[in-house]
Amino acid sequence: YVDMKRRFWIAVPLAAATLVLAMGEMIPGDPLGRWLSPQLRLWLQLLFATPVAVWAAWPFYERAVVSVRNRSLNMFTLIALGTGVAWAYSVVATVAPGLFPAGLRAADGSVPVYFEPAAVIVVLVLVGQVLELRARDATGGAIKALLGLAPRTALRIDGGELRCKVVAEG
């Protein structure tokens, strides 16, 4: 829980910055466009999205590998595959856009990137994991408290006879 929470709180501002950089041209007046060139915005997205897509998402990649080994694909397989491919494709598109066919490139030679969906999806899954782990922790505490209320002895009726038996000792 503590590790997931830390990953979440570090990933949130990085993903938010990536989202603002990616969608900045949609802000009326395009204030980011006045200060940052499109190429610089791509490199900043790479800079901000990489810790989210690699470090913050690492537990999802680990779980995905386990699911593939066990031949039991699950949500983490999909998350790792989707975010990992989006991030890796975007890295190649940023670093070497010339590798892509001319039909995929914009007039300025750039290739569309998907850093922000990769980062935002990781953050959304992290918030789900944090909530789930917190709920599990609370549930575990409630179960322990209930077990503490259990009596030390119980009466068991077998075949009409009444017997006293110690079920649990402190």
Side-chain angles (χ1 to χ4, degrees), residues 48 51 67 115 121 130:
F48 293 140
S67 74
F115 288 119
I121 288 169
V130 168

Side-chain angles (χ1 to χ4, degrees), residues 57-124:
W58 193 256
F60 307 147
Y61 298 130
E62 289 176 333
R63 290 179 181 176
V65 168
V66 169
S67 74
V68 170
R69 277 191 199 136
N70 294 335
R71 295 181 184 167
S72 177
L73 306 181
N74 58 29
M75 172 185 84
F76 295 106
T77 315
L78 179 63
I79 292 163
L81 185 62
T83 59
V85 168
W87 177 80
Y89 166 89
S90 298
V91 169
V92 174
T94 301
V95 174
L99 294 176
F100 293 87
L104 286 178
R105 286 184 259 153
D108 65 354
S110 66
V111 178
V113 295
Y114 302 97
F115 288 119
E116 99 277 355
V120 170
I121 288 169
V122 167
V123 167
L124 291 173

Side-chain angles (χ1 to χ4, degrees), residues 34-69:
R34 284 186 246 150
W35 300 313
L36 306 172
S37 71
Q39 194 63 26
L40 179 58
R41 284 165 58 169
L42 281 177
W43 285 97
L44 287 173
Q45 287 180 60
L46 171 63
L47 178 73
F48 293 140
T50 297
V52 178
V54 177
W55 174 77
W58 193 256
F60 307 147
Y61 298 130
E62 289 176 333
R63 290 179 181 176
V65 168
V66 169
S67 74
V68 170
R69 277 191 199 136

